[in-house]
Amino acid sequence: MSVLEGGMVLTETVPGALPEQRSRWPFFVCLALLAPIVAYVLVFKVPEWQNDEKLARLEERVSMLPLPPDTEHDLGAAMQGTVGLQSGNSNHCDYLVHMPLLTKLPDAEIARYYESAVIEGVAGGELSGTVYVNPSGSWREGFKGVIVEFFDGGHEAGFDMRCH
């Protein structure tokens, strides 16, 4: 230790006593690895999630339709919804909901019921159902299986890769 003329004291430091400066390269490596993942999610997954939400709302509206008389949900098969390219050749999103039912109604009557039923589509338009009758009947006496489809097509695809 030495004293300088102004009363200042100089001290000698041991080389290991100074704090080490941290390297910043791990931070930048992590950032470089995370950036493409975040970009992928923002560009491709967010549009998929948005379209999945639109499909879920459409399924909810279909499930809220009152059933015609002598008709019930087929408990052996659940309602199914699909979003993606369902018709045509490319670059648009289609939404399709299948609702399996069991009915005692004549084919023409159940078809007429769902053709006249109107629900709000994905973009606010009106949709009606199309009925497909299972010709082999059902496992329950007196009932036949039918599938009611609600199709809403031709919407903007965006970056949802299922629609290209």
Side-chain angles (χ1 to χ4, degrees):
M1 186 183 309
S2 63
V3 178
L4 295 179
E5 284 183 25
M8 193 184 263
V9 177
L10 293 177
T11 59
E12 192 175 319
T13 59
V14 182
L18 290 176
E20 290 185 31
Q21 185 148 4
R22 289 187 166 177
S23 174
R24 294 184 190 257
W25 72 266
F27 170 76
F28 291 113
V29 168
C30 289
L31 188 62
L33 291 174
L34 284 177
I37 295 170
V38 170
Y40 172 79
V41 167
L42 290 175
V43 171
F44 295 109
K45 294 310 276 184
V46 169
E48 284 183 17
W49 296 336
Q50 290 171 333
N51 287 338
D52 288 343
E53 177 62 27
K54 291 176 187 176
L55 177 64
R57 289 194 308 260
L58 179 61
E59 287 175 331
E60 183 179 338
R61 288 189 295 275
V62 168
S63 70
M64 290 177 13
L65 274 173
L67 295 176
D70 295 324
T71 303
E72 57 191 53
H73 289 282
D74 185 352
L75 299 179
M79 184 184 308
Q80 296 177 336
T82 306
V83 61
L85 191 58
Q86 307 288 324
S87 70
N89 54 7
S90 68
N91 207 27
H92 66 274
C93 267
D94 300 322
Y95 300 83
L96 181 64
V97 177
H98 293 274
M99 183 171 58
L101 300 173
L102 297 173
T103 188
K104 291 182 178 181
L105 295 177
D107 297 353
E109 191 173 335
I110 188 100
R112 192 170 35 256
Y113 180 85
Y114 281 103
E115 287 170 359
S116 64
V118 176
I119 64 166
E120 181 183 345
V122 172
E126 292 184 349
L127 296 179
S128 59
T130 303
V131 176
Y132 299 95
V133 179
N134 180 357
S136 63
S138 171
W139 55 271
R140 287 185 49 203
E141 190 63 39
F143 283 87
K144 63 184 158 213
V146 296
I147 299 289
V148 182
E149 286 187 348
F150 290 86
F151 178 79
D152 195 359
H155 298 281
E156 177 65 36
F159 285 110
D160 188 338
M161 297 312 290
R162 299 172 295 181
C163 302
H164 292 276

mmCIF file of all heavy atoms in Angstrom, residues 33-49:
data_model
loop_
_atom_site.group_PDB
_atom_site.id
_atom_site.type_symbol
_atom_site.label_atom_id
_atom_site.label_comp_id
_atom_site.label_asym_id
_atom_site.label_seq_id
_atom_site.Cartn_x
_atom_site.Cartn_y
_atom_site.Cartn_z
ATOM 1 N N LEU A 33 -31.997 -19.004 -31.446
ATOM 2 C CA LEU A 33 -32.769 -20.245 -31.514
ATOM 3 C C LEU A 33 -34.265 -20.001 -31.328
ATOM 4 O O LEU A 33 -35.080 -20.683 -31.932
ATOM 5 C CB LEU A 33 -32.276 -21.237 -30.458
ATOM 6 C CG LEU A 33 -30.873 -21.808 -30.691
ATOM 7 C CD1 LEU A 33 -30.453 -22.658 -29.495
ATOM 8 C CD2 LEU A 33 -30.820 -22.606 -31.978
ATOM 9 N N LEU A 34 -34.623 -19.044 -30.497
ATOM 10 C CA LEU A 34 -36.032 -18.767 -30.231
ATOM 11 C C LEU A 34 -36.711 -17.937 -31.322
ATOM 12 O O LEU A 34 -37.904 -18.084 -31.550
ATOM 13 C CB LEU A 34 -36.177 -18.048 -28.890
ATOM 14 C CG LEU A 34 -36.014 -18.921 -27.656
ATOM 15 C CD1 LEU A 34 -36.100 -18.075 -26.404
ATOM 16 C CD2 LEU A 34 -37.050 -20.017 -27.628
ATOM 17 N N ALA A 35 -35.963 -17.096 -31.989
ATOM 18 C CA ALA A 35 -36.555 -16.210 -32.992
ATOM 19 C C ALA A 35 -37.297 -16.970 -34.091
ATOM 20 O O ALA A 35 -38.439 -16.616 -34.419
ATOM 21 C CB ALA A 35 -35.488 -15.288 -33.579
ATOM 22 N N PRO A 36 -36.730 -18.030 -34.686
ATOM 23 C CA PRO A 36 -37.485 -18.734 -35.726
ATOM 24 C C PRO A 36 -38.732 -19.439 -35.177
ATOM 25 O O PRO A 36 -39.751 -19.523 -35.866
ATOM 26 C CB PRO A 36 -36.500 -19.766 -36.284
ATOM 27 C CG PRO A 36 -35.178 -19.431 -35.747
ATOM 28 C CD PRO A 36 -35.370 -18.521 -34.588
ATOM 29 N N ILE A 37 -38.660 -19.918 -33.953
ATOM 30 C CA ILE A 37 -39.820 -20.577 -33.346
ATOM 31 C C ILE A 37 -40.944 -19.571 -33.143
ATOM 32 O O ILE A 37 -42.097 -19.834 -33.482
ATOM 33 C CB ILE A 37 -39.424 -21.263 -32.030
ATOM 34 C CG1 ILE A 37 -38.438 -22.392 -32.307
ATOM 35 C CG2 ILE A 37 -40.651 -21.773 -31.283
ATOM 36 C CD1 ILE A 37 -37.787 -22.982 -31.084
ATOM 37 N N VAL A 38 -40.617 -18.429 -32.613
ATOM 38 C CA VAL A 38 -41.618 -17.379 -32.391
ATOM 39 C C VAL A 38 -42.192 -16.909 -33.725
ATOM 40 O O VAL A 38 -43.403 -16.743 -33.867
ATOM 41 C CB VAL A 38 -41.014 -16.204 -31.591
ATOM 42 C CG1 VAL A 38 -41.939 -15.014 -31.561
ATOM 43 C CG2 VAL A 38 -40.672 -16.657 -30.179
ATOM 44 N N ALA A 39 -41.349 -16.745 -34.723
ATOM 45 C CA ALA A 39 -41.820 -16.322 -36.039
ATOM 46 C C ALA A 39 -42.749 -17.370 -36.641
ATOM 47 O O ALA A 39 -43.797 -17.027 -37.208
ATOM 48 C CB ALA A 39 -40.632 -16.069 -36.973
ATOM 49 N N TYR A 40 -42.414 -18.646 -36.518
ATOM 50 C CA TYR A 40 -43.265 -19.718 -37.039
ATOM 51 C C TYR A 40 -44.634 -19.691 -36.371
ATOM 52 O O TYR A 40 -45.662 -19.788 -37.043
ATOM 53 C CB TYR A 40 -42.588 -21.075 -36.817
ATOM 54 C CG TYR A 40 -43.478 -22.241 -37.144
ATOM 55 C CD1 TYR A 40 -43.682 -22.632 -38.461
ATOM 56 C CD2 TYR A 40 -44.129 -22.939 -36.142
ATOM 57 C CE1 TYR A 40 -44.512 -23.686 -38.769
ATOM 58 C CE2 TYR A 40 -44.963 -24.004 -36.442
ATOM 59 C CZ TYR A 40 -45.143 -24.375 -37.761
ATOM 60 O OH TYR A 40 -45.984 -25.419 -38.045
ATOM 61 N N VAL A 41 -44.639 -19.554 -35.054
ATOM 62 C CA VAL A 41 -45.911 -19.530 -34.323
ATOM 63 C C VAL A 41 -46.747 -18.335 -34.756
ATOM 64 O O VAL A 41 -47.943 -18.473 -35.026
ATOM 65 C CB VAL A 41 -45.665 -19.516 -32.797
ATOM 66 C CG1 VAL A 41 -46.933 -19.174 -32.043
ATOM 67 C CG2 VAL A 41 -45.108 -20.856 -32.336
ATOM 68 N N LEU A 42 -46.133 -17.180 -34.846
ATOM 69 C CA LEU A 42 -46.885 -15.983 -35.219
ATOM 70 C C LEU A 42 -47.409 -16.043 -36.652
ATOM 71 O O LEU A 42 -48.534 -15.633 -36.926
ATOM 72 C CB LEU A 42 -46.025 -14.736 -35.037
ATOM 73 C CG LEU A 42 -45.715 -14.349 -33.600
ATOM 74 C CD1 LEU A 42 -44.756 -13.160 -33.570
ATOM 75 C CD2 LEU A 42 -46.980 -14.040 -32.825
ATOM 76 N N VAL A 43 -46.622 -16.580 -37.566
ATOM 77 C CA VAL A 43 -47.011 -16.565 -38.972
ATOM 78 C C VAL A 43 -47.969 -17.707 -39.315
ATOM 79 O O VAL A 43 -48.932 -17.515 -40.036
ATOM 80 C CB VAL A 43 -45.761 -16.614 -39.882
ATOM 81 C CG1 VAL A 43 -46.139 -16.825 -41.338
ATOM 82 C CG2 VAL A 43 -44.965 -15.336 -39.739
ATOM 83 N N PHE A 44 -47.728 -18.905 -38.774
ATOM 84 C CA PHE A 44 -48.502 -20.063 -39.204
ATOM 85 C C PHE A 44 -49.487 -20.595 -38.171
ATOM 86 O O PHE A 44 -50.599 -20.997 -38.526
ATOM 87 C CB PHE A 44 -47.562 -21.198 -39.635
ATOM 88 C CG PHE A 44 -46.751 -20.848 -40.843
ATOM 89 C CD1 PHE A 44 -45.396 -20.605 -40.733
ATOM 90 C CD2 PHE A 44 -47.339 -20.728 -42.091
ATOM 91 C CE1 PHE A 44 -44.640 -20.272 -41.840
ATOM 92 C CE2 PHE A 44 -46.589 -20.396 -43.205
ATOM 93 C CZ PHE A 44 -45.235 -20.163 -43.080
ATOM 94 N N LYS A 45 -49.115 -20.639 -36.919
ATOM 95 C CA LYS A 45 -49.990 -21.250 -35.917
ATOM 96 C C LYS A 45 -51.132 -20.326 -35.499
ATOM 97 O O LYS A 45 -52.247 -20.794 -35.276
ATOM 98 C CB LYS A 45 -49.186 -21.683 -34.675
ATOM 99 C CG LYS A 45 -48.192 -22.790 -34.941
ATOM 100 C CD LYS A 45 -48.778 -23.960 -35.675
ATOM 101 C CE LYS A 45 -49.468 -24.937 -34.790
ATOM 102 N NZ LYS A 45 -49.969 -26.123 -35.510
ATOM 103 N N VAL A 46 -50.887 -19.054 -35.377
ATOM 104 C CA VAL A 46 -51.950 -18.125 -34.968
ATOM 105 C C VAL A 46 -53.120 -18.149 -35.961
ATOM 106 O O VAL A 46 -54.275 -18.239 -35.539
ATOM 107 C CB VAL A 46 -51.400 -16.699 -34.743
ATOM 108 C CG1 VAL A 46 -52.515 -15.697 -34.579
ATOM 109 C CG2 VAL A 46 -50.480 -16.683 -33.522
ATOM 110 N N PRO A 47 -52.884 -18.129 -37.292
ATOM 111 C CA PRO A 47 -54.029 -18.250 -38.215
ATOM 112 C C PRO A 47 -54.772 -19.579 -38.058
ATOM 113 O O PRO A 47 -55.998 -19.610 -38.164
ATOM 114 C CB PRO A 47 -53.391 -18.139 -39.602
ATOM 115 C CG PRO A 47 -52.135 -17.380 -39.382
ATOM 116 C CD PRO A 47 -51.653 -17.798 -38.024
ATOM 117 N N GLU A 48 -54.058 -20.674 -37.790
ATOM 118 C CA GLU A 48 -54.726 -21.955 -37.551
ATOM 119 C C GLU A 48 -55.615 -21.870 -36.316
ATOM 120 O O GLU A 48 -56.749 -22.347 -36.327
ATOM 121 C CB GLU A 48 -53.703 -23.076 -37.366
ATOM 122 C CG GLU A 48 -53.069 -23.548 -38.636
ATOM 123 C CD GLU A 48 -52.125 -24.709 -38.402
ATOM 124 O OE1 GLU A 48 -52.186 -25.365 -37.338
ATOM 125 O OE2 GLU A 48 -51.310 -24.973 -39.304
ATOM 126 N N TRP A 49 -55.096 -21.289 -35.264
ATOM 127 C CA TRP A 49 -55.870 -21.166 -34.026
ATOM 128 C C TRP A 49 -57.109 -20.305 -34.249
ATOM 129 O O TRP A 49 -58.173 -20.583 -33.701
ATOM 130 C CB TRP A 49 -55.012 -20.600 -32.905
ATOM 131 C CG TRP A 49 -53.863 -21.485 -32.513
ATOM 132 C CD1 TRP A 49 -53.765 -22.839 -32.685
ATOM 133 C CD2 TRP A 49 -52.650 -21.077 -31.905
ATOM 134 N NE1 TRP A 49 -52.562 -23.284 -32.219
ATOM 135 C CE2 TRP A 49 -51.852 -22.227 -31.731
ATOM 136 C CE3 TRP A 49 -52.150 -19.856 -31.494
ATOM 137 C CZ2 TRP A 49 -50.589 -22.187 -31.145
ATOM 138 C CZ3 TRP A 49 -50.890 -19.817 -30.917
ATOM 139 C CH2 TRP A 49 -50.122 -20.980 -30.736
#
